[in-house]
Amino acid sequence: MGTGLTECIISGLLSVNGKRVLHVDRNNYYGADTASLSLSNLYQKFRGAGAEPPSTMGHSRDWNVDLVPKFVMACGDLVKILLHSKVTRYLEFKSVDGSYVLKDGKIQKVPSTGAEALSSSLMGFFEKRKFRNFLVFLEQYDKTKPATYRNGKPLDQWTMSELYYEFGLDTNTQAFTGHAMALQTTDEYLNGPADKIADAIQLYAYSVQRYGKSPYIYPIYGLGGLPEGFSRLCAIHGGTFMLSKPVDEVMFGPDGKAWGIKAGNEVAKANLIIGDPSYFPTEKCRVVGRVIRSICILDHPVAGAEDAESLQIIIPFSQVPGRRNDIYVAVVSHAHMVSSAGKYIAIVSTTVETANPAAEVAPGIQILGRVLERFDDVSDLKAPVSNGSGDNCFISESYDASSHFETAAANVLSLYERLTGSKLDMSISADSTQEEDM
C-alpha cells in the first residue's frame, strides 16, 4: 500500500521472488512521498486547487520537483539494490557536482583524500596533516590484515571518539568527518565502535573517486523515476497496480493478524500486508519526530559553491548554537532535467526541535540568496511499533530529514529481511555496472 520508493522496491523484489503482488495507492500518480511533481502540481499541492505558477517559470512540464530530496551514494546500498534488481536499465543517472559543509558561515568543499585534506580551507596547517594521516590510515585499513591495525588493535576495539583522539583531530574536524562524510545524524556514534564509521568514510571516499566531483549521483528527471522503475519491474513479473484506490480499512481476524484490505465494496486477501504508516491504524505506528522541508526556487546558483548546478550542503548542528540535529541543503537544476533552464531547486530540511519549524531551516535558507518561491511542509516521522511477525502488518518508516538515501536503504533491507526471513544478497559490486548505465 502506497507507491513510495520503499514500497516499490519491496514489491519489485517480492515479485521477482515469485510472490503474487497487488500494489495500491490512493493517489493517481506513482511515488507517494517520493514523487516528483510538475510545477503546476506543486503549486496546487501547496497553494490549493487552481493555483498556477507564473509564466516566468517556464513550462510546467519542464519541472520535476522532489517532495523528499535525496541523493544516491554512488557505491552505497541503494545502488547495489538497483543493480541486484537490474532496475538500472530503466534509469539514467548523472553525478552531483559537489558535496559541501558549512563552517563559520562559509561553504567549504568536503575533502575526501589525503591530497584534498592538505589543500582544504576547512582546517589549519597542522590540523590538515593530522586529518591527512587519518584518511591515509583509513584508506589502508583492512580488518583481515593485522599489519594495518592501529597500535595492534582492530577498529572494532576502538570507539570513534578514541580514534579521533588518537590522531589528534579537533572538534571541528570531527564534526564534518562524522556528519558530512560518515553521514551520521547525531553525535551518538562517538561512543560506538569505530569500524562501522570507518566503513562509511571509506564508502564516501571511494564513491568520490569513482565519479570525481562528489560521492553522489541523481536520476535524470528526478527521484520519481526510482519508484516507477521498481513498479515496472514488479509489473513485468506479474504484479498488479491500482492507482486512485483509497484503502478504507486493513482487515484483522480474531487472532489480531491482518488478512486483507477493504477498498469501497472490494476486499483483497493477502498473507502479508505491506505499506507506509498512513495506511495502517494509528496504534500500529509511533511518532518518533517531525521533519520540515522547504522547497525553494532560485534563478541563480548558490554563491560560494563554485557555480555548481547540483550539490549537497550539510550544516552540522555544532555550527548552529542550540541545535541538536543537522540541517541539509540539496540543490538540483536543469542539468538533471528537473527545472526550466536558468532555474534551480533548493530543498532545505531538518528534524524539527521547536514550535517554530520555519525558523529552524533559516540557516539553510540564508545561504541560498534570493528565493523566488518557497513551499514549506512539516510532517510527522513515523515508525512501526512491531516487526510485523505478530500481526502480518509490515510497515515502512518515514523518510528522515537527511539529503541522502543511506538511512532509507537500510530501512528497505530491514523490511525485506522481516518479510522473507533472509537478507537480500548485497554481494554485488557497485563497480559491476557500466558507465552508461549510471
Short mmCIF file of all heavy atoms in Angstrom, two decimals, residues 35 37-52 65-68 292-296 347 373-379:
data_model
loop_
_atom_site.label_atom_id
_atom_site.label_comp_id
_atom_site.label_asym_id
_atom_site.label_seq_id
_atom_site.Cartn_x
_atom_site.Cartn_y
_atom_site.Cartn_z
N ALA A 35 7.45 11.17 -4.73
CA ALA A 35 7.08 11.57 -6.09
C ALA A 35 7.85 12.82 -6.51
O ALA A 35 8.35 13.58 -5.68
CB ALA A 35 5.57 11.84 -6.17
N LEU A 37 6.96 16.14 -8.77
CA LEU A 37 5.78 16.82 -9.30
C LEU A 37 6.13 17.85 -10.37
O LEU A 37 7.18 18.49 -10.30
CB LEU A 37 5.03 17.53 -8.17
CG LEU A 37 4.53 16.67 -7.00
CD1 LEU A 37 3.73 17.54 -6.03
CD2 LEU A 37 3.70 15.49 -7.46
N SER A 38 5.23 17.99 -11.33
CA SER A 38 5.36 19.10 -12.27
C SER A 38 5.13 20.40 -11.50
O SER A 38 4.61 20.40 -10.37
CB SER A 38 4.33 18.97 -13.39
OG SER A 38 3.02 19.18 -12.88
N LEU A 39 5.48 21.52 -12.10
CA LEU A 39 5.37 22.79 -11.39
C LEU A 39 3.90 23.11 -11.07
O LEU A 39 3.58 23.60 -9.98
CB LEU A 39 6.01 23.91 -12.20
CG LEU A 39 6.30 25.20 -11.43
CD1 LEU A 39 7.26 24.94 -10.28
CD2 LEU A 39 6.89 26.27 -12.37
N SER A 40 3.00 22.85 -12.00
CA SER A 40 1.57 23.10 -11.76
C SER A 40 1.06 22.25 -10.60
O SER A 40 0.35 22.74 -9.71
CB SER A 40 0.75 22.80 -13.02
OG SER A 40 1.04 23.73 -14.03
N ASN A 41 1.44 20.97 -10.57
CA ASN A 41 1.02 20.10 -9.47
C ASN A 41 1.61 20.55 -8.14
O ASN A 41 0.97 20.43 -7.09
CB ASN A 41 1.40 18.66 -9.76
CG ASN A 41 0.54 18.03 -10.84
OD1 ASN A 41 -0.56 18.50 -11.11
ND2 ASN A 41 1.04 16.98 -11.47
N LEU A 42 2.85 21.07 -8.18
CA LEU A 42 3.47 21.57 -6.96
C LEU A 42 2.68 22.75 -6.41
O LEU A 42 2.39 22.81 -5.20
CB LEU A 42 4.91 21.98 -7.24
CG LEU A 42 5.70 22.53 -6.05
CD1 LEU A 42 6.04 21.42 -5.07
CD2 LEU A 42 6.98 23.23 -6.52
N TYR A 43 2.33 23.70 -7.26
CA TYR A 43 1.56 24.87 -6.82
C TYR A 43 0.20 24.46 -6.28
O TYR A 43 -0.28 24.98 -5.26
CB TYR A 43 1.40 25.86 -7.98
CG TYR A 43 2.51 26.88 -8.05
CD1 TYR A 43 3.75 26.53 -8.56
CD2 TYR A 43 2.33 28.19 -7.61
CE1 TYR A 43 4.79 27.46 -8.63
CE2 TYR A 43 3.36 29.12 -7.68
CZ TYR A 43 4.57 28.75 -8.19
OH TYR A 43 5.60 29.67 -8.25
N GLN A 44 -0.45 23.50 -6.94
CA GLN A 44 -1.77 23.08 -6.49
C GLN A 44 -1.70 22.32 -5.17
O GLN A 44 -2.61 22.43 -4.34
CB GLN A 44 -2.43 22.23 -7.57
CG GLN A 44 -2.83 23.04 -8.80
CD GLN A 44 -3.22 22.20 -9.98
OE1 GLN A 44 -3.51 21.01 -9.84
NE2 GLN A 44 -3.23 22.79 -11.17
N LYS A 45 -0.62 21.59 -4.96
CA LYS A 45 -0.47 20.86 -3.70
C LYS A 45 -0.30 21.81 -2.53
O LYS A 45 -0.87 21.60 -1.45
CB LYS A 45 0.74 19.90 -3.78
CG LYS A 45 1.02 19.15 -2.47
CD LYS A 45 2.18 18.20 -2.63
CE LYS A 45 2.55 17.54 -1.30
NZ LYS A 45 1.45 16.70 -0.75
N PHE A 46 0.49 22.87 -2.72
CA PHE A 46 0.81 23.76 -1.61
C PHE A 46 -0.04 25.04 -1.58
O PHE A 46 -0.21 25.64 -0.52
CB PHE A 46 2.30 24.16 -1.66
CG PHE A 46 3.23 23.06 -1.25
CD1 PHE A 46 3.82 22.24 -2.20
CD2 PHE A 46 3.52 22.84 0.09
CE1 PHE A 46 4.69 21.23 -1.83
CE2 PHE A 46 4.39 21.84 0.48
CZ PHE A 46 4.97 21.02 -0.49
N ARG A 47 -0.57 25.46 -2.72
CA ARG A 47 -1.31 26.71 -2.76
C ARG A 47 -2.81 26.51 -2.99
O ARG A 47 -3.57 27.48 -2.98
CB ARG A 47 -0.74 27.61 -3.88
CG ARG A 47 0.75 27.90 -3.73
CD ARG A 47 1.03 29.06 -2.79
NE ARG A 47 2.44 29.17 -2.46
CZ ARG A 47 3.35 29.80 -3.20
NH1 ARG A 47 3.00 30.36 -4.35
NH2 ARG A 47 4.59 29.87 -2.78
N GLY A 48 -3.22 25.26 -3.23
CA GLY A 48 -4.65 24.99 -3.40
C GLY A 48 -5.04 24.77 -4.85
O GLY A 48 -4.30 25.12 -5.78
N ALA A 49 -6.21 24.15 -5.05
CA ALA A 49 -6.72 23.84 -6.38
C ALA A 49 -6.82 25.11 -7.22
O ALA A 49 -7.26 26.15 -6.75
CB ALA A 49 -8.08 23.15 -6.29
N GLY A 50 -6.39 25.00 -8.47
CA GLY A 50 -6.47 26.14 -9.37
C GLY A 50 -5.26 27.05 -9.36
O GLY A 50 -5.12 27.91 -10.24
N ALA A 51 -4.37 26.88 -8.37
CA ALA A 51 -3.16 27.72 -8.31
C ALA A 51 -2.24 27.38 -9.48
O ALA A 51 -2.03 26.21 -9.81
CB ALA A 51 -2.44 27.50 -6.99
N GLU A 52 -1.70 28.38 -10.11
CA GLU A 52 -0.83 28.18 -11.26
C GLU A 52 0.46 28.98 -11.07
O GLU A 52 0.44 30.07 -10.51
CB GLU A 52 -1.52 28.61 -12.55
CG GLU A 52 -2.63 27.66 -13.02
CD GLU A 52 -2.12 26.30 -13.42
OE1 GLU A 52 -0.92 26.20 -13.82
OE2 GLU A 52 -2.89 25.32 -13.32
N VAL A 65 9.81 18.27 -9.48
CA VAL A 65 10.24 18.72 -8.16
C VAL A 65 10.01 17.60 -7.14
O VAL A 65 8.89 17.15 -6.93
CB VAL A 65 9.46 19.98 -7.73
CG1 VAL A 65 9.98 20.48 -6.38
CG2 VAL A 65 9.57 21.07 -8.79
N ASP A 66 11.10 17.17 -6.51
CA ASP A 66 11.01 16.11 -5.49
C ASP A 66 10.33 16.62 -4.23
O ASP A 66 10.63 17.72 -3.75
CB ASP A 66 12.40 15.61 -5.12
CG ASP A 66 13.15 15.01 -6.30
OD1 ASP A 66 12.49 14.46 -7.20
OD2 ASP A 66 14.39 15.09 -6.32
N LEU A 67 9.44 15.81 -3.68
CA LEU A 67 8.83 16.15 -2.40
C LEU A 67 9.77 15.80 -1.24
O LEU A 67 9.75 16.44 -0.19
CB LEU A 67 7.50 15.41 -2.24
CG LEU A 67 6.40 15.81 -3.23
CD1 LEU A 67 5.15 14.98 -2.99
CD2 LEU A 67 6.08 17.30 -3.11
N VAL A 68 10.57 14.77 -1.43
CA VAL A 68 11.56 14.36 -0.43
C VAL A 68 12.93 14.36 -1.11
O VAL A 68 13.23 13.47 -1.91
CB VAL A 68 11.25 12.97 0.15
CG1 VAL A 68 12.36 12.52 1.09
CG2 VAL A 68 9.91 12.97 0.88
N ILE A 292 10.85 19.14 8.74
CA ILE A 292 10.42 20.24 7.88
C ILE A 292 11.27 20.21 6.62
O ILE A 292 12.48 20.00 6.66
CB ILE A 292 10.53 21.62 8.56
CG1 ILE A 292 10.12 22.73 7.56
CG2 ILE A 292 11.91 21.88 9.14
CD1 ILE A 292 9.97 24.10 8.16
N ARG A 293 10.59 20.40 5.48
CA ARG A 293 11.27 20.52 4.18
C ARG A 293 10.77 21.79 3.52
O ARG A 293 9.57 21.99 3.36
CB ARG A 293 10.98 19.30 3.31
CG ARG A 293 11.51 17.99 3.89
CD ARG A 293 11.24 16.81 2.97
NE ARG A 293 11.82 15.59 3.52
CZ ARG A 293 11.16 14.71 4.27
NH1 ARG A 293 9.88 14.92 4.54
NH2 ARG A 293 11.77 13.63 4.73
N SER A 294 11.69 22.65 3.13
CA SER A 294 11.37 23.89 2.45
C SER A 294 11.88 23.82 1.02
O SER A 294 13.10 23.78 0.79
CB SER A 294 12.00 25.09 3.17
OG SER A 294 11.42 25.28 4.44
N ILE A 295 10.95 23.78 0.08
CA ILE A 295 11.28 23.73 -1.34
C ILE A 295 11.41 25.16 -1.85
O ILE A 295 10.44 25.93 -1.78
CB ILE A 295 10.21 22.97 -2.13
CG1 ILE A 295 10.06 21.54 -1.60
CG2 ILE A 295 10.55 22.95 -3.63
CD1 ILE A 295 8.89 20.78 -2.20
N CYS A 296 12.58 25.53 -2.33
CA CYS A 296 12.84 26.90 -2.78
C CYS A 296 13.23 26.89 -4.25
O CYS A 296 14.01 26.04 -4.70
CB CYS A 296 13.96 27.54 -1.96
SG CYS A 296 13.63 27.61 -0.18
N ILE A 347 16.24 22.47 -1.73
CA ILE A 347 15.35 21.99 -0.68
C ILE A 347 16.14 21.90 0.62
O ILE A 347 17.16 21.21 0.70
CB ILE A 347 14.73 20.62 -1.03
CG1 ILE A 347 14.04 20.71 -2.40
CG2 ILE A 347 13.74 20.20 0.04
CD1 ILE A 347 13.36 19.45 -2.85
N GLU A 373 10.40 31.51 -5.00
CA GLU A 373 9.22 30.88 -4.42
C GLU A 373 9.66 29.92 -3.34
O GLU A 373 10.74 29.30 -3.43
CB GLU A 373 8.41 30.12 -5.48
CG GLU A 373 7.76 31.00 -6.54
CD GLU A 373 6.49 31.67 -6.03
OE1 GLU A 373 6.16 31.52 -4.84
OE2 GLU A 373 5.83 32.34 -6.84
N ARG A 374 8.82 29.77 -2.31
CA ARG A 374 9.14 28.86 -1.22
C ARG A 374 7.89 28.11 -0.81
O ARG A 374 6.82 28.70 -0.64
CB ARG A 374 9.72 29.63 -0.03
CG ARG A 374 9.99 28.78 1.20
CD ARG A 374 10.67 29.59 2.29
NE ARG A 374 10.74 28.87 3.54
CZ ARG A 374 11.31 29.32 4.65
NH1 ARG A 374 11.87 30.53 4.65
NH2 ARG A 374 11.31 28.60 5.75
N PHE A 375 8.04 26.79 -0.64
CA PHE A 375 6.93 25.95 -0.22
C PHE A 375 7.39 25.13 1.00
O PHE A 375 8.34 24.35 0.89
CB PHE A 375 6.51 24.99 -1.34
CG PHE A 375 6.23 25.67 -2.66
CD1 PHE A 375 7.26 25.90 -3.57
CD2 PHE A 375 4.95 26.08 -2.99
CE1 PHE A 375 7.02 26.52 -4.79
CE2 PHE A 375 4.69 26.70 -4.21
CZ PHE A 375 5.72 26.91 -5.11
N ASP A 376 6.74 25.32 2.14
CA ASP A 376 7.13 24.62 3.37
C ASP A 376 6.19 23.46 3.66
O ASP A 376 4.97 23.56 3.47
CB ASP A 376 7.10 25.58 4.57
CG ASP A 376 8.22 26.61 4.51
OD1 ASP A 376 9.16 26.41 3.72
OD2 ASP A 376 8.14 27.61 5.24
N ASP A 377 6.76 22.37 4.13
CA ASP A 377 5.96 21.20 4.54
C ASP A 377 6.53 20.64 5.83
O ASP A 377 7.74 20.40 5.93
CB ASP A 377 5.99 20.13 3.45
CG ASP A 377 5.20 18.89 3.84
OD1 ASP A 377 3.96 18.99 3.94
OD2 ASP A 377 5.82 17.84 4.06
N VAL A 378 5.68 20.44 6.82
CA VAL A 378 6.07 19.83 8.08
C VAL A 378 5.28 18.53 8.24
O VAL A 378 4.05 18.53 8.11
CB VAL A 378 5.80 20.76 9.28
CG1 VAL A 378 6.21 20.09 10.59
CG2 VAL A 378 6.54 22.08 9.11
N SER A 379 5.96 17.44 8.49
CA SER A 379 5.27 16.16 8.61
C SER A 379 5.85 15.34 9.74
O SER A 379 7.00 15.55 10.17
CB SER A 379 5.38 15.37 7.29
OG SER A 379 6.74 15.18 6.93
#
